Structures are given as C-alpha cells and as structure tokens.
Amino acid sequence: MSELAERRKRGRPRKEARSGASARAAILKAAAEEFAERGYEAASLRAIARRAGVDSALVHHYFDDKADLFTASLEAPLRPDRALEVILAGPHDEIGVSIVRFLLEQLENPKAQARMVAILRTALSSGPGSRMLREFLTREVFLRLATAAGGDDDARLRANLAAAQLVGVMITRFVLKLEPIATAPAEDLARRVGPVIQWHLFGDPSQPLA
Amino acid sequence: MSELAERRKRGRPRKEARSGASARAAILKAAAEEFAERGYEAASLRAIARRAGVDSALVHHYFDDKADLFTASLEAPLRPDRALEVILAGPHDEIGVSIVRFLLEQLENPKAQARMVAILRTALSSGPGSRMLREFLTREVFLRLATAAGGDDDARLRANLAAAQLVGVMITRFVLKLEPIATAPAEDLARRVGPVIQWHLFGDPSQPLA
C-alpha cells in the first residue's frame, strides 16, 4: 500500500498537478456514482471513465484495479482484499489471529474508526450502498476466505461465519461501544477472537471446541 | 411469554375495553418517548405514567416490569432477558447452542425478522435509539451472560465477544443477506455457532480451540 501511496504522491509532473488532481477527483466522483447505481459487480472502469469525461488509460494511471478505485471512492481505512492475500500466504496456524490483529491495528486511529463506522452504517442501511458493499466483500474478501477454507459450499458458509464474528467485533467495539470490548487492548481481542476465526475457517465442526 | 400474551388478550372487562386499549397505547407512546429521551437506565415507570396521564398502577397492570414495557414499546420480536433466564438454568453444556437456536427460531418468521432488522438499524444509528438499546442489552442481557461466565471483568469481555458473534450472525443473515448464511438452516448455524458462544462464555482462552 505504501508503494501505491508513493506513486500517487509522485503523481503527475508539476505543471500538470492541478489538472491531474481534478481529473483524479472527477474519477472518484464518477466511481462513487457508478458503484452506487450499478453495484460493485456490474460497474466497469470504462463506464466510470466515460462518466468522468476522461480516457480509460487515466483511470488505470491513478488506480490499480476496480477494488483499488472502489476502496478509494469510499475512503476505506483499510484494504481487506490486499491484507488477506498477504495473511493467507503466511503461516497457516496464524491466519485467524493475523486477520483480527490486522483489522484492529488498522482501526486504532480514531479517523480510521470513524470512517469504518460510516461504512458499516452504509452497509447496513436499506440504500444502494448496502448492495455495492455486499458485492465488494463477497467478491474480494469472502471468496478468498472460502477458497482458503476449501472452496466448497461448506467453506462458503464457514467464511460467512468468520466474517460474522469480525463484523460483530467491529460493531460492538466501534459502533455500540459496549464495555469492556470498546476499550480492550487489540492484542487481547486478537488472542480471543483469532482462534474462533481459525476454527470457523479450518476447524472440524463435528469436534467440540471447548 | 404465552402466559403474558394471554393476560394481555384477556385484558380489561368488555365495557372498559376501548379505554383500556387507548390507555395501553398512551403508555406505550409515553414509554417510547421516555426511553428515547432518557435512555433505558434513567427512564422510570413512574415518569412514563405521568407522561401518559395515567396512574402508575395502570402501567403495572399492563406491563410486568421495565424490560417488559421497553420490549413492548419496541415491538421486539423476542425477549432475550427471559429466554436467557430459562437457558442459563438449563444444562450447562448446551447453553451456547440453546442461545443460538432460540435466537434463530424466534426469527424464522419474516415479520419478526423485519422487526429485528429495524431494531438493529436503530441500535447502529447515531440517534438516541442507540443508547437506549445499548443500556437495555447491557442491563438485561450482557450482565446475565457475564454473571453466568464468572462475573469478573474477564467474564464481561467474554460476554461481549459472545454477543459480537450473535450480532454478526444476525447482521450477515438478515441485514446483509450474505449467501449462504442467509438461507442456511437454523439448526446448521446452531451447531456451528453454538460451540463458539460456549467457548467465549466458558472456555479457557489459553487453550487452542482447533
């Protein structure tokens, strides 16, 4: 992600800086409209370029792919798709704890938390934001988790249940602000929730947990 | 709960039926206002009676206690406080699975689901409904869970984590409607989520789950 941030900062040459920034802003605005109207699946980078009145190549200059443009248009405080790629390639036994640790560490910052709360509220609303977020998560997050968990229907359900535990932790900690979960150290939660994520994804449901 | 429903149906004698129904409606309206303004903790049955322009005794005639009036004013599709009392008094090893089974069975009905979705959205909003629901859940649900789990600070955190898993299941199943969790049989979910609830509440967090 820092490589990307650097590339964005470097951006265009100085004399084009202003028009570059405004082109990027136009693309983000067009993307937000396109995703809200058509959902994440049906939205295309080509249609977003057309809507923004820029060449498709310029969209690819600023954004790596659809997931990158989507998360930028949402001002998402983290990139679950990229993090998962790294975590799933790491030690198998630590996948659950790494996912929880990543999520909570990225959300330590109050601005990141506030943005995540806004995104959660959008996801849970009855508006169009709910569909685009569901489609993004299904395509870019749950599919990766389900593939890691075995790839069949059962794995898809287990990926949903892992996601349910994570969504529940974010909601009780950052939205409802229940105590003591709201102020518990991230590492304590990683230690307690990590094994649950691991079990949902890879455990044997016929075996008792306790 | 059926005893209560019967008592309400029996209600007042026929000739008082109309004024009885309107008094009950006035109490519910006053309760909704009082809970929204003052939260669950600070609201009192006496203040609600005053606001409704009825005698306190009439509030007690229609409603057993504050939790009863609160859930009636929300048209809550289930009574987590009462269910927990019964479940926690049952077999210790089945507490987790019984909680999940109760929750999902009560929400099989589409009307109950729709009502629960509305309540979840209120809880997650930035409005006053969020506070009153957080206070109700803390007082009437999490405190019972935490007491069952040992009663100390650690037990309070474990009760929060169990609640987080349950909230996450409701949100992914009924609000986000992710597949396959949205259409999975309740009993499959009880079998998979029950052990997680049991482990959060009573398991040894220093032991691996898998």
Side-chain angles (χ1 to χ4, degrees):
Chain A
M1 226 175 316
S2 69
E3 188 205 336
L4 184 78
E6 214 173 78
R7 216 185 65 202
R8 280 189 195 152
K9 204 176 277 174
R10 213 166 57 232
R12 325 215 83 208
R14 183 178 285 253
K15 61 173 183 177
E16 286 183 336
R18 189 146 177 193
S19 67
S22 81
R24 188 172 182 277
I27 293 168
L28 284 172
K29 185 169 171 289
E33 292 167 3
E34 173 85 0
F35 287 125
E37 275 175 32
R38 311 199 62 205
Y40 181 75
E41 284 290 345
S44 77
L45 297 192
R46 185 187 300 263
I48 289 167
R50 206 179 309 125
R51 204 188 267 260
V54 303
D55 194 86
S56 281
L58 201 61
V59 176
H60 289 286
H61 171 75
Y62 286 112
F63 303 97
D64 285 350
D65 51 27
K66 188 153 79 169
D68 191 30
L69 180 50
F70 181 76
T71 49
S73 75
L74 273 182
E75 299 175 59
L78 51 88
R79 285 292 303 268
D81 52 327
R82 291 196 179 159
L84 263 188
E85 258 177 38
V86 176
I87 291 169
L88 292 174
H92 183 270
D93 291 352
E94 295 171 19
I95 288 175
V97 75
S98 297
I99 290 174
V100 183
R101 195 177 281 141
F102 162 78
L103 194 65
L104 297 180
E105 280 174 0
Q106 296 289 304
L107 297 172
E108 287 276 278
N109 175 309
K111 270 193 189 167
Q113 266 171 44
R115 196 58 215 136
M116 181 55 91
V117 168
I119 291 173
L120 282 168
R121 288 202 174 118
T122 300
L124 303 178
S125 71
S126 49
S130 180
R131 175 182 160 211
M132 72 183 189
L133 278 157
R134 188 175 60 234
E135 289 182 0
F136 170 77
L137 290 172
T138 300
R139 162 71 62 179
E140 308 290 358
V141 180
F142 303 143
L143 205 60
R144 276 171 231 256
L145 282 176
T147 302
D152 56 1
D153 282 355
D154 189 62
R156 290 172 60 225
L157 180 58
R158 289 187 276 119
N160 280 178
L161 290 169
Q165 174 74 78
L166 296 171
V167 164
V169 166
M170 287 195 287
I171 283 176
T172 50
R173 183 170 171 89
F174 301 122
V175 186
L176 293 175
K177 294 188 201 296
L178 297 178
E179 286 298 352
I181 197 175
T183 53
E187 195 46 41
D188 286 5
L189 295 181
R191 218 169 38 236
R192 285 168 183 282
V193 179
V196 170
I197 304 303
Q198 191 79 17
W199 187 77
H200 276 316
L201 293 177
F202 309 111
D204 179 350
S206 70
Q207 292 293 318
L209 276 191
Chain B
M1 227 175 313
S2 69
E3 188 204 335
L4 183 78
E6 212 173 78
R7 217 185 68 203
R8 281 189 194 152
K9 201 176 279 175
R10 211 164 59 233
R12 327 215 81 208
R14 182 176 286 252
K15 62 174 180 172
E16 286 182 336
R18 189 144 178 196
S19 66
S22 81
R24 188 172 180 278
I27 293 167
L28 284 172
K29 183 167 173 291
E33 292 166 3
E34 174 86 1
F35 286 124
E37 276 175 32
R38 310 199 64 205
Y40 182 75
E41 284 291 344
S44 77
L45 297 191
R46 187 186 300 262
I48 289 167
R50 207 180 310 123
R51 202 188 267 260
V54 303
D55 194 87
S56 282
L58 201 61
V59 176
H60 289 284
H61 171 76
Y62 286 112
F63 303 98
D64 285 352
D65 50 28
K66 189 152 79 167
D68 190 30
L69 179 50
F70 181 76
T71 50
S73 75
L74 274 182
E75 298 175 59
L78 51 87
R79 285 294 302 268
D81 53 325
R82 291 196 178 158
L84 264 188
E85 259 177 36
V86 176
I87 291 169
L88 291 173
H92 182 270
D93 291 351
E94 295 170 19
I95 289 176
V97 74
S98 297
I99 290 174
V100 183
R101 195 177 280 142
F102 162 78
L103 195 64
L104 296 180
E105 280 175 0
Q106 296 289 304
L107 297 172
E108 287 276 279
N109 174 310
K111 270 193 189 169
Q113 267 173 41
R115 195 59 213 137
M116 181 55 90
V117 168
I119 291 172
L120 282 168
R121 289 201 172 118
T122 300
L124 303 177
S125 72
S126 50
S130 181
R131 175 181 161 212
M132 73 184 188
L133 278 158
R134 188 176 60 235
E135 289 182 0
F136 169 77
L137 290 172
T138 300
R139 163 71 63 179
E140 308 290 357
V141 180
F142 304 144
L143 205 61
R144 274 170 232 254
L145 282 176
T147 302
D152 56 3
D153 283 355
D154 189 63
R156 288 172 62 226
L157 180 58
R158 288 188 276 118
N160 280 180
L161 290 169
Q165 174 74 77
L166 295 171
V167 164
V169 166
M170 287 195 287
I171 283 175
T172 50
R173 183 171 170 89
F174 300 123
V175 186
L176 293 175
K177 294 188 201 294
L178 297 178
E179 286 298 351
I181 198 177
T183 52
E187 193 48 40
D188 286 5
L189 295 181
R191 217 168 40 234
R192 284 169 182 282
V193 180
V196 170
I197 303 303
Q198 190 80 17
W199 187 77
H200 276 317
L201 293 177
F202 308 111
D204 178 350
S206 70
Q207 292 292 319
L209 277 189

